[in-house]
Amino acid sequence: MAGLATSLGAGAATNSLAQMPEIDTLFLFGSNPTEAHPIVSIYLKKALRNGARLIVGDPRLTWMAKRADVWLNLRPGSNIALMNGLIHVILKNGWENRAFIERRTEGFEELREKVRGYDLKKVERLTGVSADRITEAARLYSHADKAMIVYGLGVTEHRTGTENAMAIANLALVCGHIGRPSTGIMALRGQNNVQGASDLGPAPNILPGYQPVASPDVRAKFEKAWGVPISPETGLKSVEMLDKACEGKFKGLFILGEDPAQTDPNVHEVRKALQSLEFLVVQDIFHTETTKYAHVILPGASFAEKDGTFTNGERRIQRVRKAIEPLSGMAEWQVISRLSNLMGYPMTYNHPSEIMDEIARLTPIYGGISYERLEKESLQWPCPTKDHPGTTTLYSDLFSRPGGLARFVALDHKGPGEVPDREYPFVLITGRIREHYNNGSMTGKVPGIVELVPEELLEINPADAKRLKISDGDTVRVSSRRGEITVRARITERSQKGNVFLTFHFRDALSNLLTSEYRDPVTGTPEYKSCAVKIEK
Amino acid sequence: MSDGKLKIKINGTELFCKKDETVLTAAKRAGIYIPTLCHDDRLEPYGGCRLCIVHIKGVPKPLPACTTPVADNMEVTTETPTIKRIRKRLIELLLSNHPNDCMRCEKTGECELQDLSYKYGVDGSRFEGEKWDMPVREANPFIRYEPNKCILCGRCVRICNEVVMAGTIELTGRGFYTMPDTAFGKPRTLSNCEFCGQCVSTCPTGALTDKKSRGKGRAYEMKKVRTTCSYCGTGCNLDLNVRDGRVVKVTSAYDAPVNHGNLCIKGRYGYDFIHSFERIKSPLIRKGYKFVTASWDEALEVVASKFKALLKKYGPDAVGAFSSSRCTNEENFLLSKWVRTSLRSNNVDNCARV
Ligand code: SF4
Ligand code: SF4
Ligand code: SF4
Ligand code: FES
């Protein structure tokens, strides 16, 4: 989300889901909502039934791609080249929104210069998408009235993830397709509370509400509220903590509810780092790969066992309500409070609503949120005051950047970190399927789901399968420069020639043993969407 | 009206409506009850069951409220003696081909047919005739289908095709034996069904029910707790159904702002992990190669003293925390605060920003 933040001001979706049925041109990019976000897909399907045109940018022939007016079947990791190509066509034909560019943006000249070099020949070569399709997509999108770009992890889970998102913002800004109902950019994210977790400051350089640690005013506000000095130095990112652990310079870590030893693309390094720690505490509801390395394991409470809030992908803050008592006796907020008390810093919350009150006092975008209000209304941030109705559409007037202008960022194609070669000729894309979730620690405990989808399957194109003499259901070995796994093959047109697909939901066929070590330098998000592998029977 | 609004009267009460709404939506908004069976707010108006017929002044025949658009100065009466008689007749007809085994039916207490027959005081005895006798279908993990209890409202077929667009079920068979079914009556598998349970969520009777929660409690024995799904970032609301301290079922939250009662397989059926025997139930402390059970006091004492010792020895740069996009806002805030106050560090991060 750092990408959108740079271009537009905030790292968040610009519109509400409820506006989707009125979209007239939908550009779905790097997202497979019928699998990963089924209920968002219901909104999008409604838009299609209402006659919306559909452009899909995806290397896989997904449900949506099959129904698209234009399918941009790009090579994994060639997102920027494709976006630059689209903008190139739009500018060449004069389809841009001049008035919008002049009034509401800056940096257009640099962008124009940059995309000049992305003629269709070059873009065709870099992306593998035909010039016709690119031109048609550019025409459809730029001529739309209510155009929405919906993108997913196929955009962000690349080493150029942040830049990919900026490239998308460039396209929307060139056409002025932002800041109106049903018109904007929606980012669909993986885990339920990524938005809330980003909003509320577990990050080394920001305090809750995207308030920079570096700002003396911000620090002063938190120092006053919390009664301790706050270091002006940016802390370590998660990757850096792990790297430093391997070097012996980082010693003690508390991991709340995550499983990097399985879900990180570079599990070897992560495991080494965890092993090097002098003290590791892991709090989770289940034993995971990560808990194996812990010195102390604390039981977590499931969402049914505690009060709280989640913020969804459209910035809507919603209640989580306690249905049963925590099985272990305590919920996380109580555990952290007690730990803090033991370490000498008093935390005396009686209920999570009091924590929300503190969030509201310190975090302007959540300023008007309280549990009391959430009983009666549904609110999307920014909601700065108790009488503010929340915000459905961002940027209808100003962007939340200095000067209120959005910023074009001129970008170059870099491609994925690892490209296929003789030895590892296939591109492995990893992603989600509807029935399972993340490391499978939850869905793997649902007998019906396990019955339906008991194991990992490698999706491979019929032509590739034929060449390798693989039949449906055959066991194959998938290996990369980092590791190998054995899975059964599913032959399907969903994978294009040269690409194969795996999920990351299964512990015994861990696709993250294969994925590459490349990451986005800004966010640290791993390149889950592209690495080179070979397939053997 | 100048602002595009219309004025109508329902049972003598004046109300303003939007141009393109139906009599039924207008009545609902005003809190006026009109019985329905084939209607679901999530679906396009259908007009199949005729139960929602109302009298409109100046119109000789009663019209279905669910498909009739409002018109300026329309005067609606929701129940006249004639309409009441027709409604009774319609319900009786439905009951005449219905097993009437409410006493052991999973749906008892929240069945729309049962409620209507109670409200109108009718049973199926007036039209005794041929009844369906078809086997129960439940060769799948989640959905039980009892064709005999189907009243052919078409809601399951429509939600599956209109909303989910999965195309799993259609009206099959002919004449008296027309019923919703999968193509060729094949058992539901992933190749023909998404197992979203949307069809179950809309079925007004006990024809489609959740298999997992069968026998786990009547609707009125459940405590329903409105909450937000913990799987993906869409933020669907749902109702956890709790009985004797256990989550035994998930039902739709039809008035939810994001999902209006729609859910996917994970939100509706993915709750078993909550009571999984594999849950970690007490703190564990590593002793050599093994973990031993500890009390919260013991475990937190170890964590606190160890972090204090590390801080003393190596300083705040050598300690930190990962938080999770799976946890609540309050927990994320608190962890970030803990790192800043107890550890005096900024080493706190989300371990994968996906
Ligand atoms: S579970 Fe979903 S996909 Fe399957 S029949 Fe019901 S509505 Fe259709
Ligand atoms: S199964 Fe239920 S929803 Fe479907 S037609 Fe029969 S009664 Fe209606
Ligand atoms: S019900 Fe499905 S789509 Fe809705 S939040 Fe849960 S996982 Fe996401
Ligand atoms: S609800 Fe109107 S006809 Fe069935």
mmCIF file of all heavy atoms in Angstrom, chain A residues 351-390:
data_model
loop_
_atom_site.group_PDB
_atom_site.id
_atom_site.type_symbol
_atom_site.label_atom_id
_atom_site.label_comp_id
_atom_site.label_asym_id
_atom_site.label_seq_id
_atom_site.Cartn_x
_atom_site.Cartn_y
_atom_site.Cartn_z
ATOM 1 N N HIS A 351 -11.692 -3.208 29.063
ATOM 2 C CA HIS A 351 -12.427 -3.725 27.912
ATOM 3 C C HIS A 351 -11.784 -3.134 26.647
ATOM 4 O O HIS A 351 -11.293 -2.005 26.684
ATOM 5 C CB HIS A 351 -13.900 -3.310 28.010
ATOM 6 C CG HIS A 351 -14.776 -3.965 26.991
ATOM 7 N ND1 HIS A 351 -15.088 -3.371 25.795
ATOM 8 C CD2 HIS A 351 -15.367 -5.185 26.967
ATOM 9 C CE1 HIS A 351 -15.855 -4.186 25.076
ATOM 10 N NE2 HIS A 351 -16.033 -5.296 25.758
ATOM 11 N N PRO A 352 -11.811 -3.871 25.537
ATOM 12 C CA PRO A 352 -11.219 -3.331 24.307
ATOM 13 C C PRO A 352 -11.815 -1.993 23.871
ATOM 14 O O PRO A 352 -11.157 -1.222 23.169
ATOM 15 C CB PRO A 352 -11.523 -4.423 23.270
ATOM 16 C CG PRO A 352 -11.586 -5.677 24.064
ATOM 17 C CD PRO A 352 -12.203 -5.288 25.375
ATOM 18 N N SER A 353 -13.041 -1.691 24.304
ATOM 19 C CA SER A 353 -13.619 -0.396 23.917
ATOM 20 C C SER A 353 -12.761 0.750 24.443
ATOM 21 O O SER A 353 -12.667 1.806 23.825
ATOM 22 C CB SER A 353 -15.046 -0.271 24.442
ATOM 23 O OG SER A 353 -15.041 -0.311 25.846
ATOM 24 N N GLU A 354 -12.102 0.521 25.588
ATOM 25 C CA GLU A 354 -11.250 1.574 26.141
ATOM 26 C C GLU A 354 -9.993 1.756 25.298
ATOM 27 O O GLU A 354 -9.449 2.849 25.184
ATOM 28 C CB GLU A 354 -10.873 1.244 27.589
ATOM 29 C CG GLU A 354 -12.088 1.215 28.498
ATOM 30 C CD GLU A 354 -11.762 0.689 29.889
ATOM 31 O OE1 GLU A 354 -10.564 0.518 30.225
ATOM 32 O OE2 GLU A 354 -12.719 0.444 30.648
ATOM 33 N N ILE A 355 -9.540 0.641 24.700
ATOM 34 C CA ILE A 355 -8.384 0.752 23.801
ATOM 35 C C ILE A 355 -8.792 1.559 22.570
ATOM 36 O O ILE A 355 -8.058 2.430 22.104
ATOM 37 C CB ILE A 355 -7.866 -0.645 23.400
ATOM 38 C CG1 ILE A 355 -7.577 -1.472 24.656
ATOM 39 C CG2 ILE A 355 -6.624 -0.524 22.526
ATOM 40 C CD1 ILE A 355 -7.193 -2.913 24.378
ATOM 41 N N MET A 356 -10.010 1.288 22.060
ATOM 42 C CA MET A 356 -10.485 2.050 20.908
ATOM 43 C C MET A 356 -10.606 3.535 21.254
ATOM 44 O O MET A 356 -10.284 4.391 20.431
ATOM 45 C CB MET A 356 -11.810 1.481 20.395
ATOM 46 C CG MET A 356 -12.359 2.205 19.165
ATOM 47 S SD MET A 356 -11.187 2.350 17.786
ATOM 48 C CE MET A 356 -11.399 0.787 16.958
ATOM 49 N N ASP A 357 -11.041 3.828 22.460
ATOM 50 C CA ASP A 357 -11.124 5.243 22.846
ATOM 51 C C ASP A 357 -9.743 5.902 22.785
ATOM 52 O O ASP A 357 -9.603 7.042 22.356
ATOM 53 C CB ASP A 357 -11.723 5.388 24.251
ATOM 54 C CG ASP A 357 -13.184 4.946 24.288
ATOM 55 O OD1 ASP A 357 -13.813 4.906 23.204
ATOM 56 O OD2 ASP A 357 -13.690 4.618 25.384
ATOM 57 N N GLU A 358 -8.733 5.148 23.218
ATOM 58 C CA GLU A 358 -7.372 5.701 23.167
ATOM 59 C C GLU A 358 -6.915 5.859 21.706
ATOM 60 O O GLU A 358 -6.297 6.860 21.343
ATOM 61 C CB GLU A 358 -6.411 4.769 23.938
ATOM 62 C CG GLU A 358 -4.988 5.283 23.980
ATOM 63 C CD GLU A 358 -4.095 4.453 24.913
ATOM 64 O OE1 GLU A 358 -4.613 3.913 25.913
ATOM 65 O OE2 GLU A 358 -2.889 4.351 24.618
ATOM 66 N N ILE A 359 -7.250 4.858 20.879
ATOM 67 C CA ILE A 359 -6.920 4.958 19.454
ATOM 68 C C ILE A 359 -7.552 6.230 18.883
ATOM 69 O O ILE A 359 -6.905 7.000 18.178
ATOM 70 C CB ILE A 359 -7.436 3.709 18.684
ATOM 71 C CG1 ILE A 359 -6.662 2.462 19.114
ATOM 72 C CG2 ILE A 359 -7.323 3.925 17.168
ATOM 73 C CD1 ILE A 359 -7.198 1.155 18.543
ATOM 74 N N ALA A 360 -8.822 6.450 19.221
ATOM 75 C CA ALA A 360 -9.535 7.609 18.679
ATOM 76 C C ALA A 360 -8.875 8.917 19.123
ATOM 77 O O ALA A 360 -8.762 9.860 18.350
ATOM 78 C CB ALA A 360 -10.996 7.569 19.111
ATOM 79 N N ARG A 361 -8.395 8.941 20.366
ATOM 80 C CA ARG A 361 -7.751 10.168 20.849
ATOM 81 C C ARG A 361 -6.444 10.460 20.123
ATOM 82 O O ARG A 361 -6.078 11.598 19.902
ATOM 83 C CB ARG A 361 -7.461 10.048 22.350
ATOM 84 C CG ARG A 361 -8.677 10.313 23.231
ATOM 85 C CD ARG A 361 -8.252 10.554 24.678
ATOM 86 N NE ARG A 361 -7.578 9.427 25.288
ATOM 87 C CZ ARG A 361 -8.193 8.383 25.844
ATOM 88 N NH1 ARG A 361 -9.524 8.324 25.840
ATOM 89 N NH2 ARG A 361 -7.517 7.395 26.381
ATOM 90 N N LEU A 362 -5.718 9.408 19.722
ATOM 91 C CA LEU A 362 -4.376 9.601 19.190
ATOM 92 C C LEU A 362 -4.294 9.523 17.666
ATOM 93 O O LEU A 362 -3.285 9.873 17.070
ATOM 94 C CB LEU A 362 -3.440 8.530 19.774
ATOM 95 C CG LEU A 362 -3.113 8.687 21.261
ATOM 96 C CD1 LEU A 362 -2.453 7.425 21.797
ATOM 97 C CD2 LEU A 362 -2.203 9.891 21.474
ATOM 98 N N THR A 363 -5.345 9.014 17.031
ATOM 99 C CA THR A 363 -5.273 8.697 15.615
ATOM 100 C C THR A 363 -6.367 9.450 14.865
ATOM 101 O O THR A 363 -7.519 9.025 14.879
ATOM 102 C CB THR A 363 -5.496 7.173 15.427
ATOM 103 O OG1 THR A 363 -4.635 6.494 16.320
ATOM 104 C CG2 THR A 363 -5.241 6.732 14.026
ATOM 105 N N PRO A 364 -6.019 10.543 14.209
ATOM 106 C CA PRO A 364 -7.067 11.370 13.598
ATOM 107 C C PRO A 364 -8.011 10.609 12.659
ATOM 108 O O PRO A 364 -9.208 10.845 12.705
ATOM 109 C CB PRO A 364 -6.262 12.425 12.829
ATOM 110 C CG PRO A 364 -4.968 12.517 13.562
ATOM 111 C CD PRO A 364 -4.690 11.148 14.102
ATOM 112 N N ILE A 365 -7.492 9.683 11.835
ATOM 113 C CA ILE A 365 -8.415 9.023 10.901
ATOM 114 C C ILE A 365 -9.453 8.170 11.625
ATOM 115 O O ILE A 365 -10.523 7.900 11.094
ATOM 116 C CB ILE A 365 -7.678 8.176 9.826
ATOM 117 C CG1 ILE A 365 -6.722 7.173 10.448
ATOM 118 C CG2 ILE A 365 -6.981 9.060 8.813
ATOM 119 C CD1 ILE A 365 -6.074 6.233 9.424
ATOM 120 N N TYR A 366 -9.149 7.737 12.848
ATOM 121 C CA TYR A 366 -10.108 6.978 13.657
ATOM 122 C C TYR A 366 -10.749 7.856 14.733
ATOM 123 O O TYR A 366 -11.397 7.347 15.648
ATOM 124 C CB TYR A 366 -9.407 5.795 14.354
ATOM 125 C CG TYR A 366 -9.158 4.571 13.499
ATOM 126 C CD1 TYR A 366 -8.272 4.606 12.423
ATOM 127 C CD2 TYR A 366 -9.806 3.366 13.768
ATOM 128 C CE1 TYR A 366 -8.039 3.480 11.644
ATOM 129 C CE2 TYR A 366 -9.576 2.229 12.988
ATOM 130 C CZ TYR A 366 -8.686 2.302 11.940
ATOM 131 O OH TYR A 366 -8.453 1.184 11.168
ATOM 132 N N GLY A 367 -10.556 9.159 14.632
ATOM 133 C CA GLY A 367 -10.941 10.065 15.711
ATOM 134 C C GLY A 367 -12.397 9.966 16.154
ATOM 135 O O GLY A 367 -12.719 10.185 17.312
ATOM 136 N N GLY A 368 -13.283 9.645 15.215
ATOM 137 C CA GLY A 368 -14.707 9.618 15.577
ATOM 138 C C GLY A 368 -15.242 8.241 15.893
ATOM 139 O O GLY A 368 -16.449 8.060 16.060
ATOM 140 N N ILE A 369 -14.336 7.254 15.986
ATOM 141 C CA ILE A 369 -14.801 5.878 16.168
ATOM 142 C C ILE A 369 -14.968 5.563 17.657
ATOM 143 O O ILE A 369 -14.119 5.885 18.476
ATOM 144 C CB ILE A 369 -13.790 4.874 15.570
ATOM 145 C CG1 ILE A 369 -13.465 5.239 14.111
ATOM 146 C CG2 ILE A 369 -14.305 3.438 15.684
ATOM 147 C CD1 ILE A 369 -14.609 5.099 13.149
ATOM 148 N N SER A 370 -16.061 4.948 18.000
ATOM 149 C CA SER A 370 -16.226 4.389 19.348
ATOM 150 C C SER A 370 -17.138 3.178 19.236
ATOM 151 O O SER A 370 -17.903 3.070 18.278
ATOM 152 C CB SER A 370 -16.859 5.419 20.287
ATOM 153 O OG SER A 370 -18.203 5.657 19.884
ATOM 154 N N TYR A 371 -17.057 2.279 20.205
ATOM 155 C CA TYR A 371 -17.911 1.090 20.161
ATOM 156 C C TYR A 371 -19.380 1.487 20.201
ATOM 157 O O TYR A 371 -20.221 0.859 19.583
ATOM 158 C CB TYR A 371 -17.578 0.150 21.333
ATOM 159 C CG TYR A 371 -16.367 -0.723 21.093
ATOM 160 C CD1 TYR A 371 -15.367 -0.337 20.206
ATOM 161 C CD2 TYR A 371 -16.224 -1.952 21.733
ATOM 162 C CE1 TYR A 371 -14.266 -1.131 19.988
ATOM 163 C CE2 TYR A 371 -15.120 -2.764 21.514
ATOM 164 C CZ TYR A 371 -14.137 -2.342 20.646
ATOM 165 O OH TYR A 371 -13.051 -3.143 20.430
ATOM 166 N N GLU A 372 -19.639 2.557 20.930
ATOM 167 C CA GLU A 372 -21.014 3.030 21.027
ATOM 168 C C GLU A 372 -21.563 3.367 19.643
ATOM 169 O O GLU A 372 -22.658 2.948 19.267
ATOM 170 C CB GLU A 372 -21.015 4.267 21.911
ATOM 171 C CG GLU A 372 -22.271 4.451 22.691
ATOM 172 C CD GLU A 372 -22.215 5.754 23.468
ATOM 173 O OE1 GLU A 372 -21.107 6.260 23.764
ATOM 174 O OE2 GLU A 372 -23.302 6.274 23.766
ATOM 175 N N ARG A 373 -20.767 4.113 18.866
ATOM 176 C CA ARG A 373 -21.226 4.468 17.517
ATOM 177 C C ARG A 373 -21.344 3.235 16.634
ATOM 178 O O ARG A 373 -22.247 3.132 15.816
ATOM 179 C CB ARG A 373 -20.247 5.459 16.868
ATOM 180 C CG ARG A 373 -20.492 6.878 17.256
ATOM 181 C CD ARG A 373 -19.657 7.809 16.406
ATOM 182 N NE ARG A 373 -20.274 8.122 15.116
ATOM 183 C CZ ARG A 373 -19.697 8.862 14.181
ATOM 184 N NH1 ARG A 373 -18.475 9.345 14.370
ATOM 185 N NH2 ARG A 373 -20.319 9.118 13.038
ATOM 186 N N LEU A 374 -20.398 2.315 16.787
ATOM 187 C CA LEU A 374 -20.418 1.137 15.907
ATOM 188 C C LEU A 374 -21.634 0.246 16.163
ATOM 189 O O LEU A 374 -21.992 -0.566 15.325
ATOM 190 C CB LEU A 374 -19.123 0.329 16.057
ATOM 191 C CG LEU A 374 -17.853 1.034 15.552
ATOM 192 C CD1 LEU A 374 -16.631 0.141 15.752
ATOM 193 C CD2 LEU A 374 -17.970 1.448 14.097
ATOM 194 N N GLU A 375 -22.275 0.401 17.327
ATOM 195 C CA GLU A 375 -23.519 -0.338 17.557
ATOM 196 C C GLU A 375 -24.617 0.152 16.630
ATOM 197 O O GLU A 375 -25.527 -0.581 16.284
ATOM 198 C CB GLU A 375 -23.992 -0.172 19.008
ATOM 199 C CG GLU A 375 -23.208 -0.965 20.031
ATOM 200 C CD GLU A 375 -23.141 -2.453 19.713
ATOM 201 O OE1 GLU A 375 -24.184 -3.065 19.421
ATOM 202 O OE2 GLU A 375 -22.014 -2.997 19.739
ATOM 203 N N LYS A 376 -24.544 1.430 16.276
ATOM 204 C CA LYS A 376 -25.639 2.032 15.515
ATOM 205 C C LYS A 376 -25.311 2.274 14.054
ATOM 206 O O LYS A 376 -26.186 2.328 13.219
ATOM 207 C CB LYS A 376 -26.037 3.382 16.143
ATOM 208 C CG LYS A 376 -26.450 3.285 17.610
ATOM 209 C CD LYS A 376 -26.950 4.609 18.131
ATOM 210 C CE LYS A 376 -25.862 5.652 18.196
ATOM 211 N NZ LYS A 376 -25.241 5.843 19.497
ATOM 212 N N GLU A 377 -24.041 2.487 13.722
ATOM 213 C CA GLU A 377 -23.726 2.837 12.345
ATOM 214 C C GLU A 377 -22.502 2.064 11.876
ATOM 215 O O GLU A 377 -21.770 1.481 12.659
ATOM 216 C CB GLU A 377 -23.458 4.340 12.168
ATOM 217 C CG GLU A 377 -23.417 5.098 13.448
ATOM 218 C CD GLU A 377 -22.993 6.539 13.345
ATOM 219 O OE1 GLU A 377 -23.035 7.143 12.256
ATOM 220 O OE2 GLU A 377 -22.589 7.057 14.383
ATOM 221 N N SER A 378 -22.323 2.090 10.573
ATOM 222 C CA SER A 378 -21.184 1.440 9.968
ATOM 223 C C SER A 378 -20.306 2.541 9.403
ATOM 224 O O SER A 378 -20.783 3.373 8.639
ATOM 225 C CB SER A 378 -21.695 0.520 8.857
ATOM 226 O OG SER A 378 -20.641 -0.208 8.325
ATOM 227 N N LEU A 379 -19.049 2.591 9.819
ATOM 228 C CA LEU A 379 -18.222 3.749 9.491
ATOM 229 C C LEU A 379 -16.965 3.363 8.727
ATOM 230 O O LEU A 379 -16.311 2.376 9.036
ATOM 231 C CB LEU A 379 -17.818 4.472 10.780
ATOM 232 C CG LEU A 379 -18.969 5.066 11.602
ATOM 233 C CD1 LEU A 379 -18.491 5.415 13.011
ATOM 234 C CD2 LEU A 379 -19.540 6.296 10.909
ATOM 235 N N GLN A 380 -16.639 4.177 7.726
ATOM 236 C CA GLN A 380 -15.386 4.014 7.000
ATOM 237 C C GLN A 380 -14.481 5.201 7.324
ATOM 238 O O GLN A 380 -14.943 6.338 7.328
ATOM 239 C CB GLN A 380 -15.657 4.007 5.484
ATOM 240 C CG GLN A 380 -16.334 2.744 4.982
ATOM 241 C CD GLN A 380 -16.797 2.893 3.540
ATOM 242 O OE1 GLN A 380 -17.876 3.411 3.276
ATOM 243 N NE2 GLN A 380 -15.988 2.439 2.605
ATOM 244 N N TRP A 381 -13.201 4.931 7.625
ATOM 245 C CA TRP A 381 -12.307 6.057 7.871
ATOM 246 C C TRP A 381 -11.930 6.711 6.559
ATOM 247 O O TRP A 381 -12.011 6.044 5.554
ATOM 248 C CB TRP A 381 -11.098 5.649 8.714
ATOM 249 C CG TRP A 381 -10.036 4.744 8.120
ATOM 250 C CD1 TRP A 381 -9.822 3.423 8.394
ATOM 251 C CD2 TRP A 381 -8.994 5.115 7.189
ATOM 252 N NE1 TRP A 381 -8.744 2.945 7.682
ATOM 253 C CE2 TRP A 381 -8.216 3.959 6.929
ATOM 254 C CE3 TRP A 381 -8.649 6.304 6.533
ATOM 255 C CZ2 TRP A 381 -7.114 3.950 6.060
ATOM 256 C CZ3 TRP A 381 -7.559 6.293 5.662
ATOM 257 C CH2 TRP A 381 -6.808 5.121 5.432
ATOM 258 N N PRO A 382 -11.498 7.950 6.529
ATOM 259 C CA PRO A 382 -11.340 8.880 7.646
ATOM 260 C C PRO A 382 -12.669 9.291 8.287
ATOM 261 O O PRO A 382 -13.596 9.658 7.603
ATOM 262 C CB PRO A 382 -10.659 10.106 7.019
ATOM 263 C CG PRO A 382 -10.717 9.932 5.541
ATOM 264 C CD PRO A 382 -10.986 8.509 5.262
ATOM 265 N N CYS A 383 -12.654 9.208 9.614
ATOM 266 C CA CYS A 383 -13.807 9.628 10.399
ATOM 267 C C CYS A 383 -13.247 10.403 11.580
ATOM 268 O O CYS A 383 -13.030 9.846 12.645
ATOM 269 C CB CYS A 383 -14.582 8.394 10.852
ATOM 270 S SG CYS A 383 -15.961 8.772 11.929
ATOM 271 N N PRO A 384 -12.896 11.669 11.351
ATOM 272 C CA PRO A 384 -12.092 12.398 12.340
ATOM 273 C C PRO A 384 -12.822 12.806 13.623
ATOM 274 O O PRO A 384 -12.172 12.971 14.642
ATOM 275 C CB PRO A 384 -11.620 13.644 11.568
ATOM 276 C CG PRO A 384 -12.565 13.782 10.422
ATOM 277 C CD PRO A 384 -13.063 12.419 10.092
ATOM 278 N N THR A 385 -14.132 12.993 13.564
ATOM 279 C CA THR A 385 -14.811 13.480 14.770
ATOM 280 C C THR A 385 -16.060 12.665 15.071
ATOM 281 O O THR A 385 -16.562 11.937 14.223
ATOM 282 C CB THR A 385 -15.248 14.952 14.599
ATOM 283 O OG1 THR A 385 -16.089 15.028 13.444
ATOM 284 C CG2 THR A 385 -14.068 15.873 14.442
ATOM 285 N N LYS A 386 -16.556 12.845 16.286
ATOM 286 C CA LYS A 386 -17.700 12.048 16.743
ATOM 287 C C LYS A 386 -18.958 12.297 15.920
ATOM 288 O O LYS A 386 -19.885 11.493 15.941
ATOM 289 C CB LYS A 386 -18.005 12.353 18.223
ATOM 290 C CG LYS A 386 -16.886 11.940 19.158
ATOM 291 C CD LYS A 386 -16.874 10.427 19.416
ATOM 292 C CE LYS A 386 -15.672 10.046 20.288
ATOM 293 N NZ LYS A 386 -14.903 8.915 19.806
ATOM 294 N N ASP A 387 -19.016 13.440 15.225
ATOM 295 C CA ASP A 387 -20.223 13.661 14.421
ATOM 296 C C ASP A 387 -19.942 13.525 12.928
ATOM 297 O O ASP A 387 -20.776 13.857 12.096
ATOM 298 C CB ASP A 387 -20.848 15.029 14.746
ATOM 299 C CG ASP A 387 -19.829 16.146 14.697
ATOM 300 O OD1 ASP A 387 -18.715 15.905 14.180
ATOM 301 O OD2 ASP A 387 -20.129 17.258 15.174
ATOM 302 N N HIS A 388 -18.758 13.029 12.578
ATOM 303 C CA HIS A 388 -18.417 12.835 11.161
ATOM 304 C C HIS A 388 -19.025 11.521 10.677
ATOM 305 O O HIS A 388 -18.934 10.506 11.356
ATOM 306 C CB HIS A 388 -16.894 12.808 11.024
ATOM 307 C CG HIS A 388 -16.417 12.859 9.605
ATOM 308 N ND1 HIS A 388 -16.487 11.778 8.769
ATOM 309 C CD2 HIS A 388 -15.853 13.860 8.874
ATOM 310 C CE1 HIS A 388 -15.988 12.113 7.576
ATOM 311 N NE2 HIS A 388 -15.594 13.371 7.614
ATOM 312 N N PRO A 389 -19.653 11.523 9.492
ATOM 313 C CA PRO A 389 -20.334 10.303 9.033
ATOM 314 C C PRO A 389 -19.410 9.248 8.416
ATOM 315 O O PRO A 389 -19.906 8.233 7.914
ATOM 316 C CB PRO A 389 -21.292 10.846 7.965
ATOM 317 C CG PRO A 389 -20.603 12.057 7.423
ATOM 318 C CD PRO A 389 -19.826 12.650 8.571
ATOM 319 N N GLY A 390 -18.107 9.472 8.432
ATOM 320 C CA GLY A 390 -17.208 8.545 7.751
ATOM 321 C C GLY A 390 -17.133 8.893 6.277
ATOM 322 O O GLY A 390 -17.838 9.781 5.798
#
